Amino acid sequence: MKPSRLLPMLLLLLSTAPAAAPAVPADDFPTSGRVEYVLECMQKHDGKYEYLYKCSCVVDRIAKTLRYDDYVAMSVALRNQSLAGERGGEFRDEASVRNMASKYKEIEAGANKACAVPQR
């Protein structure tokens, strides 16, 4: 096909392409992130094998709700609120960080409930 005829065909294809789907959180958690979550969750529940499946269920539900970068930021905000002194001040004092931590706590609690994982 001649290059002069190719360009109009490409333009036609691009103009008839379906519109992009609405922005939905991507299930973009890397395997290593999922494994870390499951291992930590299992450890909180005395390393019981049954929690392999339950904790996997929780992280899968979280992954359907949040992008991985948001999960990291929110979970770090929650985890570090208990740091003593100045180091923890950034996570306790800043309203936006407290809100992130609170939202993550709600999301995780809902996932735990749906997957029969008791809060610890």
Side-chain angles (χ1 to χ4, degrees):
M1 184 175 286
K2 291 182 182 180
S4 61
R5 294 185 68 199
L6 186 59
L7 183 59
M9 288 178 67
L10 286 175
L11 291 173
L12 177 64
L13 285 173
L14 289 174
S15 67
T16 59
V24 176
D27 191 353
D28 64 348
F29 279 44
T31 302
S32 59
R34 290 175 189 265
V35 170
E36 280 181 27
Y37 186 92
V38 170
L39 290 175
E40 185 176 316
C41 176
M42 287 178 67
Q43 184 179 13
K44 286 180 187 176
H45 295 89
D46 304 321
K48 292 182 181 173
Y49 188 74
E50 72 181 279
Y51 284 97
L52 171 67
Y53 300 101
K54 291 180 179 185
C55 295
S56 295
C57 171
V58 173
V59 76
D60 288 345
R61 285 182 170 269
I62 292 170
K64 288 179 182 173
T65 306
L66 298 172
R67 297 187 75 76
Y68 184 69
D69 291 341
D70 296 334
Y71 156 76
V72 170
M74 295 168 92
S75 64
V76 166
L78 179 63
R79 178 175 294 159
N80 290 330
Q81 283 186 333
S82 62
L83 285 175
E86 275 185 52
R87 293 183 326 163
E90 291 181 42
F91 300 98
R92 287 188 307 272
D93 300 339
E94 189 70 35
S96 62
V97 176
R98 284 196 318 268
N99 290 339
M100 283 184 1
S102 177
K103 182 167 175 74
Y104 175 72
K105 197 172 185 179
E106 288 175 25
I107 291 168
E108 186 178 41
N112 280 328
K113 184 176 181 180
C115 298
V117 175
Q119 287 290 117
R120 286 205 175 178

Coordinates of all heavy atoms in Angstrom, one line a residue, residues 77-108:
A77 N 1.1 5.8 56.0 CA 0.5 6.8 56.9 C -0.1 6.2 58.1 O 0.2 6.7 59.2 CB -0.5 7.6 56.1
L78 N -0.8 5.1 58.0 CA -1.4 4.5 59.1 C -0.4 3.8 60.0 O -0.4 4.0 61.2 CB -2.4 3.4 58.6 CG -3.1 2.6 59.8 CD1 -3.9 3.6 60.6 CD2 -4.0 1.5 59.2
R79 N 0.5 3.1 59.4 CA 1.5 2.4 60.2 C 2.4 3.3 61.0 O 2.8 3.0 62.1 CB 2.4 1.6 59.2 CG 3.5 0.8 59.9 CD 4.3 -0.1 59.0 NE 3.3 -1.1 58.6 CZ 3.5 -1.8 57.5 NH1 4.5 -1.6 56.7 NH2 2.6 -2.7 57.1
N80 N 2.8 4.5 60.4 CA 3.7 5.4 61.1 C 3.1 6.4 62.1 O 3.8 7.1 62.7 CB 4.6 6.1 60.1 CG 5.5 5.1 59.4 OD1 6.0 4.2 59.9 ND2 5.8 5.4 58.1
Q81 N 1.8 6.3 62.2 CA 1.1 7.2 63.2 C 1.5 6.8 64.6 O 1.5 7.7 65.5 CB -0.4 7.2 63.0 CG -0.9 7.9 61.9 CD -2.4 8.0 61.8 OE1 -3.1 7.1 62.3 NE2 -2.9 9.1 61.2
S82 N 2.0 5.6 64.8 CA 2.4 5.2 66.2 C 3.8 5.4 66.5 O 4.3 5.1 67.6 CB 2.0 3.7 66.3 OG 2.8 2.9 65.4
L83 N 4.6 6.0 65.5 CA 6.0 6.4 65.8 C 6.0 7.4 66.9 O 5.3 8.4 66.9 CB 6.7 6.9 64.6 CG 7.1 5.9 63.5 CD1 7.6 6.6 62.3 CD2 8.1 4.9 64.0
A84 N 6.9 7.2 67.8 CA 7.1 8.2 68.9 C 7.8 9.4 68.5 O 8.6 9.4 67.5 CB 7.8 7.5 70.1
G85 N 7.6 10.5 69.2 CA 8.4 11.8 69.0 C 8.1 12.5 67.7 O 7.1 12.3 67.0
E86 N 9.2 13.2 67.3 CA 9.1 14.0 66.1 C 8.9 13.2 64.8 O 8.2 13.6 63.9 CB 10.4 14.8 65.9 CG 10.4 16.1 66.7 CD 11.6 16.9 66.4 OE1 12.0 17.1 65.2 OE2 12.3 17.3 67.3
R87 N 9.5 12.0 64.8 CA 9.4 11.2 63.6 C 8.0 10.8 63.3 O 7.6 10.8 62.1 CB 10.2 9.9 63.8 CG 11.7 10.1 63.8 CD 12.5 8.8 63.9 NE 11.8 7.8 64.7 CZ 12.1 6.5 64.6 NH1 13.1 6.1 63.9 NH2 11.5 5.6 65.3
G88 N 7.2 10.6 64.3 CA 5.8 10.2 64.1 C 4.9 11.5 63.9 O 3.8 11.4 63.5
G89 N 5.4 12.6 64.3 CA 4.6 13.9 64.2 C 4.1 14.2 62.8 O 3.0 14.6 62.6
E90 N 4.9 13.9 61.8 CA 4.5 14.1 60.4 C 3.3 13.3 60.1 O 2.5 13.7 59.3 CB 5.6 13.7 59.4 CG 6.8 14.6 59.5 CD 7.9 14.2 58.5 OE1 7.5 13.9 57.3 OE2 9.0 14.2 58.8
F91 N 3.1 12.1 60.7 CA 2.0 11.3 60.4 C 0.8 11.5 61.3 O -0.3 11.1 61.0 CB 2.5 9.8 60.5 CG 3.6 9.5 59.5 CD1 4.9 9.5 60.0 CD2 3.3 9.2 58.2 CE1 5.9 9.2 59.1 CE2 4.3 8.9 57.3 CZ 5.6 8.9 57.8
R92 N 1.1 12.1 62.5 CA 0.0 12.3 63.4 C -0.6 13.8 63.3 O -1.8 14.0 63.5 CB 0.5 12.2 64.9 CG 0.7 10.8 65.3 CD 1.0 10.7 66.8 NE 2.1 11.6 67.2 CZ 3.4 11.3 67.2 NH1 3.8 10.1 66.8 NH2 4.3 12.2 67.5
D93 N 0.3 14.7 62.9 CA -0.1 16.1 63.0 C -0.8 16.6 61.7 O -1.6 17.5 61.7 CB 1.1 17.0 63.3 CG 1.7 16.6 64.7 OD1 1.0 16.0 65.5 OD2 2.9 17.0 64.9
E94 N -0.4 16.1 60.6 CA -0.8 16.6 59.3 C -2.2 16.0 59.0 O -2.4 14.8 59.0 CB 0.1 16.2 58.2 CG -0.1 16.8 56.9 CD 0.2 18.2 56.8 OE1 1.1 18.7 57.5 OE2 -0.6 18.9 56.1
A95 N -3.2 16.9 58.8 CA -4.6 16.5 58.6 C -4.8 15.6 57.4 O -5.5 14.6 57.5 CB -5.5 17.7 58.5
S96 N -4.1 15.9 56.3 CA -4.3 15.1 55.1 C -3.7 13.7 55.3 O -4.3 12.7 54.8 CB -3.6 15.8 53.9 OG -2.2 15.9 54.1
V97 N -2.7 13.6 56.0 CA -2.1 12.3 56.3 C -3.0 11.5 57.2 O -3.2 10.3 57.0 CB -0.6 12.4 56.9 CG1 -0.1 11.1 57.2 CG2 0.3 13.2 55.9
R98 N -3.5 12.1 58.2 CA -4.5 11.4 59.1 C -5.7 11.0 58.3 O -6.2 9.9 58.5 CB -4.9 12.4 60.2 CG -3.9 12.5 61.3 CD -4.5 13.1 62.6 NE -5.4 14.2 62.4 CZ -5.1 15.5 62.3 NH1 -3.9 15.9 62.5 NH2 -6.1 16.4 62.2
N99 N -6.2 11.8 57.4 CA -7.3 11.4 56.5 C -7.0 10.2 55.7 O -7.8 9.3 55.5 CB -7.8 12.6 55.7 CG -8.4 13.7 56.5 OD1 -8.9 13.4 57.6 ND2 -8.5 14.8 55.9
M100 N -5.8 10.2 55.1 CA -5.3 9.0 54.3 C -5.3 7.8 55.1 O -5.8 6.7 54.7 CB -3.9 9.3 53.7 CG -3.9 10.2 52.5 SD -2.3 10.4 51.7 CE -1.1 9.4 52.6
A101 N -4.8 7.9 56.3 CA -4.7 6.7 57.2 C -6.0 6.2 57.6 O -6.3 5.0 57.6 CB -3.9 7.1 58.5
S102 N -6.9 7.2 57.9 CA -8.3 6.8 58.3 C -9.0 6.1 57.1 O -9.7 5.1 57.3 CB -9.0 8.1 58.7 OG -10.4 7.8 59.0
K103 N -8.9 6.6 55.9 CA -9.5 6.0 54.8 C -9.0 4.6 54.5 O -9.8 3.7 54.3 CB -9.3 6.9 53.5 CG -10.0 6.3 52.3 CD -10.1 7.3 51.2 CE -10.7 6.7 49.9 NZ -12.1 6.5 50.0
Y104 N -7.7 4.4 54.6 CA -7.1 3.1 54.5 C -7.6 2.1 55.5 O -7.9 1.0 55.2 CB -5.6 3.2 54.5 CG -5.0 1.8 54.4 CD1 -5.0 1.1 53.2 CD2 -4.4 1.2 55.5 CE1 -4.5 -0.2 53.1 CE2 -3.9 -0.1 55.4 CZ -3.9 -0.8 54.3 OH -3.4 -2.1 54.2
K105 N -7.7 2.6 56.7 CA -8.2 1.8 57.8 C -9.6 1.3 57.5 O -9.9 0.1 57.8 CB -8.1 2.6 59.1 CG -8.2 1.8 60.4 CD -8.0 2.6 61.6 CE -8.0 1.8 62.9 NZ -7.7 2.7 64.0
E106 N -10.4 2.1 57.0 CA -11.8 1.7 56.6 C -11.8 0.7 55.5 O -12.5 -0.3 55.6 CB -12.6 3.0 56.2 CG -13.0 3.9 57.2 CD -13.7 5.2 56.7 OE1 -14.2 5.1 55.5 OE2 -13.6 6.2 57.3
I107 N -11.0 0.9 54.5 CA -10.9 0.0 53.4 C -10.4 -1.4 53.8 O -11.0 -2.4 53.5 CB -10.0 0.6 52.3 CG1 -10.7 1.8 51.6 CG2 -9.7 -0.5 51.2 CD1 -9.7 2.6 50.7
E108 N -9.4 -1.4 54.7 CA -8.8 -2.6 55.2 C -9.8 -3.3 56.1 O -10.0 -4.6 56.0 CB -7.5 -2.4 55.9 CG -6.8 -3.7 56.3 CD -5.5 -3.5 56.9 OE1 -5.4 -2.5 57.8 OE2 -4.6 -4.2 56.6

